[in-house]
Amino acid sequence: MTIQGIDLSVIWGVIIAFGLMMYVIMDGFDLGLGILFPLISDSRERDVMMNTVAPVWDGNETWAVLGAAALYGAFPLAYSVILEALYLPLVLVLAGLIFRGVAFEFRFKAEAHKRHLWDKAFIGGSVLATFFQGVAIGTYISGIPVVDRQFAGSGWDWLAPFPLFCGVGLLLTYALLGSTWLLIKTDGMLEARMRHYSRPLTYALAAVIVVICAWTAWLHDDIAQRWFGASHGLRSALIAVLAVVAVVMIQKALRKRHSHLPFIAVVGLVFLGYLGLAISIWPNIVPPTLTLWQAAAPLTSQLFALIGALFIIPIILAYTFWSYHVFRGKVQPGDAYH
């Protein structure tokens, strides 16, 4: 739908994609800490890990709320179809986030001999939320059947090899984001451990990306055509080359003991994967058949919501930047944010 030549559906598609990308990156390293928790047994080091995100973790989830609310307001048909198709995985994601959030707050207040229970809840919640986010993404990529503008599949379509493999892939992604985030925020033995873990995690994630790309192309001829067709081959090749450069940069930065560069390179690799997903499904908002324009809300609704979004998004960006700026620097044992 357009107004004076401006396609509001495309604008809303970009806003939703941006909000979800920000969530994946910013809450990704947060969830990654819980995934890495079993590798760290020292309680003081676990406290340091938690304190690296304590001032900002709940604000990171604002981006998921923004993306979901924007989808509901701008593309209500897509919202209803996606929610029905992914109902159980999304409920499990929310359950994991609740467990993680409660554990995050209560472990600092628990008695020493009971803290291990909240640590386990933090680990379980992080793994549960991450895995089923990946399952939801894999199911979405696999395609959601729509007939007569209604979901025409089964509530168990997500229980298939490809979505489950995507769940494992997202666990590796968030773990790598978490380990490289700790290179920025910690020092000493904890930083050394994270540098050690980041190397195999990088190679494992690169292998998973290759498998997912090949699997996706094998499952969907239309996606394979978008990637390898004569008119799109150069674009796909450029993304692939940049992904290889990102992997090489991560390993080189780890060897040279850079603090910030590994995390920046991992974010770049995640962005390239996200860009590849966008290219694969465009212009569909519910692949393989429902486009942005077919699922769009009325023009007046999109315009009204857009005015509010253009007001609130800069505010979210501003307070996000400010919170990270205020709490920049290394976190030391004994520092407390609770």
Side-chain angles (χ1 to χ4, degrees):
M1 295 184 178
T2 63
I3 178 170
Q4 294 183 348
I6 300 174
D7 195 326
L8 295 184
S9 294
V10 173
I11 292 175
W12 272 112
V14 171
I15 291 173
I16 293 168
F18 174 74
L20 295 179
M21 182 191 72
M22 291 293 289
Y23 172 78
V24 167
I25 292 172
M26 302 189 73
D27 209 40
F29 65 77
D30 184 345
L31 287 163
L33 300 188
I35 298 168
L36 294 167
F37 238 49
L39 303 177
I40 304 298
S41 57
D42 186 273
S43 61
R44 291 172 300 176
E45 291 186 340
R46 285 187 169 187
D47 288 345
V48 171
M49 292 172 69
M50 298 284 273
N51 281 326
T52 64
V53 295
V56 297
W57 73 272
D58 47 355
N60 292 339
E61 296 176 355
T62 303
W63 296 104
V65 175
L66 173 67
L71 183 66
Y72 176 77
F75 304 101
L77 176 59
Y79 181 89
S80 65
V81 169
I82 292 171
L83 193 66
E84 187 174 359
L86 301 177
Y87 185 79
L88 186 55
L90 293 180
V91 166
L92 292 171
V93 168
L94 291 175
L97 292 176
I98 291 169
F99 267 100
R100 183 192 64 145
V102 172
F104 201 110
E105 298 295 338
F106 276 79
R107 73 175 300 277
F108 284 100
K109 300 174 176 64
E111 297 176 4
H113 67 283
K114 293 183 179 179
R115 184 170 293 183
H116 71 96
L117 297 175
W118 295 112
D119 284 348
K120 290 180 175 63
F122 182 65
I123 294 167
S126 299
V127 171
L128 185 68
T130 301
F131 178 75
F132 281 100
Q133 283 180 26
V135 168
I137 294 170
T139 307
Y140 181 79
I141 296 172
S142 297
I144 298 175
V146 178
V147 176
D148 295 330
R149 298 171 64 85
Q150 293 184 345
F151 174 59
S154 166
W156 297 97
D157 287 348
W158 57 270
L159 196 59
F162 180 75
L164 296 176
F165 184 79
C166 289
V168 174
L170 198 64
L171 285 170
L172 291 172
T173 303
Y174 284 3
L176 183 57
L177 281 168
S179 66
T180 51
W181 166 256
L182 290 174
L183 299 181
I184 299 174
K185 301 296 291 183
T186 65
D187 51 22
M189 286 301 297
L190 181 57
E191 180 191 8
R193 289 191 184 95
M194 291 302 112
R195 198 173 298 278
H196 172 73
Y197 294 139
S198 295
R199 293 189 179 96
L201 282 171
T202 302
Y203 288 127
L205 178 57
V208 165
I209 290 172
V210 171
V211 172
I212 288 177
C213 288
W215 201 338
T216 303
W218 179 70
L219 287 174
H220 303 285
D221 291 337
D222 56 333
I223 293 179
Q225 183 61 34
R226 288 194 187 100
W227 287 355
F228 308 119
S231 59
H232 306 297
L234 182 60
R235 180 181 59 191
S236 300
L238 178 61
I239 293 175
V241 169
L242 290 175
V244 172
V245 169
V247 171
V248 172
M249 186 181 297
I250 295 167
Q251 295 293 351
K252 185 176 181 180
L254 289 171
R255 288 195 299 271
K256 292 191 174 182
R257 304 187 65 80
H258 286 289
S259 59
H260 290 67
L261 190 55
F263 181 75
I264 294 171
V266 172
V267 169
L269 183 61
V270 172
F271 172 75
L272 290 169
Y274 198 78
L275 182 61
L277 170 61
I279 292 172
S280 300
I281 66 173
W282 177 262
N284 297 319
I285 192 168
V286 181
T289 57
L290 194 61
T291 68
L292 289 169
W293 304 279
Q294 291 171 330
L299 178 61
T300 52
S301 298
Q302 287 192 337
L303 181 60
F304 178 78
L306 183 61
I307 295 171
L310 294 179
F311 173 76
I312 196 66
I313 290 174
I315 295 176
I316 298 174
L317 287 170
Y319 80 63
T320 299
F321 171 80
W322 182 247
S323 62
Y324 279 88
H325 174 73
V326 169
F327 294 102
R328 67 192 182 278
K330 301 280 188 179
V331 175
Q332 303 297 331
D335 290 347
Y337 296 103
H338 282 71

